[in-house]
Amino acid sequence: MIKVLFFAKLREELRINELDIEYKAEVASIRDLISYLRQEYQQIDNVKNIKAAVNQELVLDWDLSLNDGDEVAFFPPITGG
Amino acid sequence: MIKVLFFAKLREELRINELDIEYKAEVASIRDLISYLRQEYQQIDNVKNIKAAVNQELVLDWDLSLNDGDEVAFFPPITGG
Amino acid sequence: MVRIQEEGFDIQSEVKKIKPSDESDIGALVTFVGYVRDFKDNKSDTLSSMEIEFYPGMTEKALIEIEEKARRAWDVFDVNIIHRFGKLNLNDEIVLVAVTSAHRTEAFRACEFIIDFLKTDAPFWKKEIGLKSESWVDVNKKDYEKVNKWY
Amino acid sequence: MVRIQEEGFDIQSEVKKIKPSDESDIGALVTFVGYVRDFKDNKSDTLSSMEIEFYPGMTEKALIEIEEKARRAWDVFDVNIIHRFGKLNLNDEIVLVAVTSAHRTEAFRACEFIIDFLKTDAPFWKKEIGLKSESWVDVNKKDYEKVNKWY
């Protein structure tokens, strides 16, 4: 299982903050995962410059393989402080 | 009359914080004034890098002429903050 | 020391935590506080409040990592970072970064370093709620330029 | 705003004076506090107190001039400078420089500029009183190097 989290504008656009996805070939990387999610949530493209974190670490290489049990988060650029 | 003030280590060395000196040719500049004071207060030389202010403005040019009624202050380098 | 909280904070009390009265090696404290301010560009609306969201777990880790980086770069005595979340009103304080050190220059550098990296590396998102409309704050490119200057 | 006083100060109260809750253009506050710290070099003695002397009249003018210079150099909202005089104990606060601005970078620069110039241009003198001996603090050459960097 892969736990997917959405934050801020992305969470609002998708109207969901958390999702469990079965671990399978179609979600073997971050890039695959977002393509897979896009099938159901086209609104993903309403948010520009989406960032991804795997197991709470920011990941710049979206070809990184995902493992069963990973927590993946998608969110817009950070605007805190 | 010239009002002369001493601060910090200089005040302690000279054991005086304020002095009124008659305005005359011997005290026509800061350089003259300190030479004049040195006659009575040799301990002036116990303090290094003495600074001078005329009418509460730091003066770097010790050849500056003094005027009757000026307030002249001598003190060691600043160490506040 | 890192905290994410809904409540406000008192600067003096937060300073005491990193400058206790028996720590006589500390000569300098530098503190940054960020406030909810009114819209800069949108002159046709007035900001009434702000919603701040974060990523529980990851945000704390990111803040701790920023503090550690600052401690590796400068000889700092202690660090206190607080970031608020939830609904904040206009003029409320959002974030505190307080740094103690023997000398002022290190405290200044470390404090600015922390707030600069917090702006780009700590997952917080701000939504500005105006009287007429609301919107998520856009990313500020200058924040990334500032962070790059540290390298 | 410039004050020379014998009493201590509360950072939160001093901040409120330059960040009143209705000044919603202020986004950033940077505060510096300097403390009486123990001897650095003299390991055979312990500092017990400090005496601070100033030049009434000239010192106030010098502080006001430093504040004005900072305001000319950066887009600052307000400034609060307090320097204490008289007898201070180990760990007491000596000086406060607090600056508010729309943006953090200007507040950081202005705050550091003010404390850097205060160290070289505002006539204060410190005497360190240890358990065994007392002496006037020597001038720190680094302070002059720092001030020169601003030009």
Side-chain angles (χ1 to χ4, degrees):
Chain A
M1 207 71 92
I2 290 184
K3 185 179 178 184
V4 186
L5 304 172
F6 304 100
F7 291 96
K9 192 179 180 184
L10 199 58
R11 174 182 55 69
E12 284 188 350
E13 289 285 341
L14 272 55
R15 292 164 198 263
I16 190 165
N17 42 1
E18 202 175 320
L19 202 61
D20 281 331
I21 293 180
E22 203 193 331
Y23 182 67
K24 52 193 168 187
E26 293 101 309
V27 299
S29 73
I30 303 174
R31 198 180 302 282
D32 294 340
L33 174 60
I34 207 153
S35 301
Y36 181 85
L37 289 165
R38 195 178 278 116
Q39 296 168 29
E40 193 170 347
Y41 301 99
Q42 296 84 355
Q43 319 96 289
I44 281 181
D45 296 317
N46 295 350
V47 181
K48 283 176 199 162
N49 297 316
I50 290 176
K51 310 289 173 192
V54 176
N55 300 325
Q56 308 190 346
E57 291 277 351
L58 205 67
V59 171
L60 298 178
D61 176 10
W62 281 32
D63 293 317
L64 186 89
S65 319
L66 296 175
N67 297 307
D68 199 9
D70 277 351
E71 174 178 308
V72 182
F74 293 105
F75 43 79
I78 284 166
T79 56
Chain B
M1 207 71 90
I2 289 184
K3 185 179 178 184
V4 187
L5 304 171
F6 303 101
F7 290 96
K9 193 181 179 184
L10 199 59
R11 175 181 53 70
E12 284 188 349
E13 290 283 342
L14 272 55
R15 291 164 197 264
I16 190 163
N17 43 1
E18 203 174 320
L19 199 64
D20 283 331
I21 293 180
E22 204 194 329
Y23 183 66
K24 53 193 168 188
E26 294 102 308
V27 298
S29 73
I30 303 174
R31 199 181 302 283
D32 294 339
L33 174 61
I34 208 154
S35 302
Y36 181 84
L37 290 165
R38 197 178 275 114
Q39 296 168 30
E40 193 172 348
Y41 302 98
Q42 295 84 359
Q43 319 96 289
I44 281 180
D45 295 318
N46 294 349
V47 180
K48 283 176 198 160
N49 298 316
I50 289 176
K51 310 289 174 192
V54 175
N55 299 325
Q56 309 191 345
E57 289 279 351
L58 204 67
V59 171
L60 297 178
D61 175 11
W62 282 33
D63 292 318
L64 186 88
S65 317
L66 295 176
N67 297 308
D68 199 8
D70 277 350
E71 174 179 305
V72 182
F74 293 106
F75 43 79
I78 283 165
T79 57
Chain C
M1 185 185 339
V2 154
R3 235 157 66 230
I4 300 170
Q5 65 182 36
E6 208 157 0
E7 321 82 66
F9 49 81
D10 174 89
I11 305 175
Q12 184 76 40
S13 323
E14 296 304 329
V15 161
K16 268 187 197 146
K17 292 177 188 164
I18 54 166
K19 184 11 183 149
S21 53
D22 57 346
E23 280 304 352
S24 47
D25 290 335
I26 294 171
L29 159 81
V30 173
T31 305
F32 170 81
V33 178
Y35 297 94
V36 180
R37 63 190 289 257
D38 206 354
F39 294 123
K40 308 150 245 194
D41 312 316
N42 187 348
K43 295 288 173 207
S44 64
D45 199 2
T46 294
L47 190 131
S48 70
S49 67
M50 182 172 268
E51 284 277 341
I52 300 183
E53 187 169 329
F54 72 109
Y55 181 173
M58 179 170 169
T59 310
E60 290 86 342
K61 280 185 206 166
L63 292 177
I64 290 168
E65 207 174 292
I66 294 167
E67 175 178 342
E68 284 170 356
K69 270 192 204 169
R71 284 174 180 274
R72 282 193 291 269
W74 292 280
D75 199 359
V76 147
F77 195 90
D78 212 346
V79 172
N80 190 354
I81 305 173
I82 302 175
H83 201 296
R84 296 177 68 185
F85 71 93
K87 188 183 177 226
L88 304 189
N89 292 313
L90 189 60
N91 298 309
D92 278 356
E93 62 277 7
I94 303 169
V95 58
L96 169 86
V97 178
V99 176
T100 47
S101 177
H103 306 291
R104 71 184 184 283
T105 308
E106 278 146 315
F108 272 111
R109 288 305 157 276
C111 185
E112 191 168 5
F113 177 96
I114 290 170
I115 184 65
D116 279 359
F117 276 82
L118 187 152
K119 293 250 173 192
T120 60
D121 288 14
F124 287 101
W125 301 275
K126 283 179 191 158
K127 186 195 237 179
E128 288 177 331
I129 296 149
L131 296 175
K132 300 179 193 164
S133 64
E134 57 176 61
S135 67
W136 291 95
V137 172
D138 264 338
V139 69
N140 186 348
K141 279 181 194 164
K142 275 189 196 162
D143 288 339
Y144 285 85
E145 291 165 18
K146 273 175 202 158
V147 152
N148 285 328
K149 278 192 192 153
W150 289 105
Y151 290 111
Chain D
M1 185 186 337
V2 155
R3 235 156 68 229
I4 300 170
Q5 65 182 38
E6 210 157 359
E7 320 82 66
F9 49 80
D10 175 88
I11 304 175
Q12 184 76 42
S13 322
E14 296 305 328
V15 161
K16 265 186 199 148
K17 293 177 187 164
I18 55 167
K19 182 17 181 147
S21 53
D22 58 345
E23 279 306 349
S24 48
D25 290 334
I26 294 172
L29 160 81
V30 173
T31 304
F32 170 81
V33 179
Y35 296 95
V36 181
R37 63 188 291 255
D38 206 353
F39 293 123
K40 308 150 244 193
D41 312 316
N42 186 349
K43 294 291 173 205
S44 64
D45 199 2
T46 294
L47 189 132
S48 72
S49 69
M50 183 172 266
E51 284 276 342
I52 300 183
E53 189 170 326
F54 72 109
Y55 181 173
M58 179 171 170
T59 311
E60 291 86 342
K61 280 185 204 166
L63 293 176
I64 289 167
E65 206 174 293
I66 295 166
E67 174 178 340
E68 283 171 356
K69 270 191 203 170
R71 284 175 179 273
R72 281 193 290 269
W74 291 280
D75 200 358
V76 147
F77 195 90
D78 212 346
V79 172
N80 190 354
I81 305 173
I82 303 175
H83 200 298
R84 295 176 70 186
F85 70 94
K87 190 184 175 224
L88 303 188
N89 292 312
L90 189 61
N91 298 309
D92 277 357
E93 63 276 7
I94 302 169
V95 58
L96 170 85
V97 178
V99 176
T100 47
S101 178
H103 306 290
R104 72 184 182 285
T105 308
E106 275 146 318
F108 272 110
R109 288 303 157 280
C111 185
E112 191 169 3
F113 176 95
I114 290 169
I115 184 64
D116 279 359
F117 275 83
L118 187 152
K119 292 252 174 191
T120 60
D121 288 13
F124 287 102
W125 301 274
K126 284 178 191 159
K127 187 195 236 179
E128 289 177 333
I129 295 149
L131 297 176
K132 298 179 193 165
S133 64
E134 56 175 63
S135 67
W136 290 95
V137 171
D138 264 339
V139 68
N140 186 349
K141 278 180 193 165
K142 274 189 197 161
D143 288 339
Y144 285 85
E145 290 163 21
K146 272 175 201 157
V147 153
N148 285 326
K149 276 190 194 153
W150 288 105
Y151 290 113

